[in-house]
Amino acid sequence: MIFSTPIKYAPITQIANPLLHIASPFSGKVLPLIHHPVQLFSTGVLGIGVIVKTNQALMLAPCKGKVIRTTQQGCEFVIRAESGLQLLIHLHIPSEYKKMENLLQHSVGKKSVSPGDVLCYYDVPQDTPILGSLIILNADKLGPCYYPLNNVNAGKDPLITLARACKL
């Protein structure tokens, strides 16, 4: 059962009246959230979003905002963006790498972040399967949302584009 309408792909040049681009916290191939191996994410229970299949355990802040919560050994952040969006940013790596000795850089304990700040960066082998998720927790009042690119670079490319005005 799918709880939230999946975000669909639409080329960035074909999105009429884009209002807001949410920068990608990850680098890699973009896929719909339904491909996430954890059912809590894939069913859309938490909200709408996308995943990025990456080969780097690096997660950047997609926007300026306040850090509401940090969990999962520093692999999951909830950020309230200045726009009012509440974003869940999650790095799905094998548990054996979620150890302090593998943590190269982090923002655990920070109260606010700016675009491009490193949220977490873990040292994991290159062939380790890693998924990054960006979920909009308060998307119930949003208009259409799209992922405008099939491949993204962290901190440079838009991962999700909102297409019309909404009340947050």
Side-chain angles (χ1 to χ4, degrees):
M1 171 182 253
I2 303 293
F3 291 90
S4 297
T5 304
I7 292 179
K8 296 179 182 167
Y9 171 73
I12 197 163
T13 56
Q14 294 180 9
I15 299 173
N17 301 319
L19 293 177
L20 178 67
H21 297 290
I22 301 172
S24 181
F26 318 101
S27 293
K29 181 173 176 47
V30 183
L31 300 167
L33 195 58
I34 60 171
H35 294 287
H36 201 291
V38 177
Q39 201 172 24
L40 182 66
F41 290 92
S42 65
T43 57
V45 168
L46 299 173
I48 62 170
V50 292
I51 59 174
V52 177
K53 188 176 181 183
T54 183
N55 62 355
Q56 192 176 27
L58 171 67
M59 184 166 65
L60 303 179
C63 59
K64 185 174 183 176
K66 294 186 189 292
V67 176
I68 306 300
R69 185 177 67 229
T70 305
T71 58
Q72 301 289 320
Q73 290 97 5
C75 287
E76 184 174 276
F77 286 77
V78 175
I79 296 172
R80 177 175 287 122
E82 286 186 331
S83 64
L85 292 176
Q86 286 192 24
L87 306 173
L88 171 69
I89 306 133
H90 179 266
L91 191 65
H92 184 72
I93 61 175
S95 59
E96 64 264 23
Y97 298 111
K98 290 184 189 179
K99 297 178 182 170
M100 289 307 287
E101 61 263 21
N102 294 330
L103 189 59
L104 300 174
Q105 198 171 352
H106 65 83
S107 289
V108 175
K110 285 184 93 175
K111 301 279 187 224
S112 62
V113 291
S114 295
D117 285 356
V118 173
L119 296 177
C120 70
Y121 184 27
Y122 283 85
D123 183 24
V124 299
Q126 283 285 333
D127 59 344
T128 304
I130 302 167
L131 286 178
S133 304
L134 177 65
I135 297 171
I136 303 172
L137 298 173
N138 60 341
D140 54 320
K141 296 176 183 156
L142 294 180
C145 298
Y146 303 97
Y147 65 93
L149 300 169
N150 288 313
N151 288 287
V152 290
N153 293 302
K156 296 179 184 171
D157 296 326
L159 183 56
I160 296 175
T161 297
L162 307 180
R164 68 175 170 192
C166 59
K167 246 188 178 177
L168 296 175

